[in-house]
Amino acid sequence: MMPWGAWLYLLLLAAVGVLHLVIELRTRVDAVRALLRFAAVGVIGAGVVLFYRGGAGVLYMLLLFAAALLISRKSVADAQAARAGRADGTTAPPPWLGLTRLVVLPGIAWGALAVWVQQHA
């Protein structure tokens, strides 16, 4: 059974995923990439559930790695766009947007622990 703190974290993770999806679709970013990043947040959230359900296998480990790569790549791209936007006065993503991606870090750790539990159980 999952504790209430894990459920609250999943709600926060879902809120961040939806927020980023809406912002990216409003700024006319490639919809396929935006949906892939939204799915990546879902994979990270699944790691929390899998941790409490008994672990995850190698396939989930590969999906978690790809999800972390997609999220981190977008964070770097947003930071570069913010820096370039400040330099030439163009529209940049809001500065708080990158900070909300920090919410996914505990989920990545939970997913990694789910894989570890399965391998060492």
Side-chain angles (χ1 to χ4, degrees), residues 44 47-48 51 56 60-61 64 105-119:
I44 292 169
V48 176
F51 176 76
Y60 177 75
M61 180 177 54
L64 182 65
L105 291 177
I108 293 170
W110 249 320
L113 285 173
V115 172
W116 184 80
V117 163
Q118 180 70 27
Q119 299 296 323

Side-chain angles (χ1 to χ4, degrees), residues 71-97:
I71 301 279
S72 63
R73 191 166 174 209
K74 179 61 176 163
S75 295
V76 169
D78 283 350
Q80 290 172 344
R83 193 174 305 126
R86 273 189 251 136
D88 62 7
T90 60
T91 306
W96 53 265
L97 191 64

Side-chain angles (χ1 to χ4, degrees), residues 41-57:
V41 173
V43 167
I44 292 169
V48 176
V49 175
L50 289 172
F51 176 76
Y52 289 105
R53 298 284 170 131

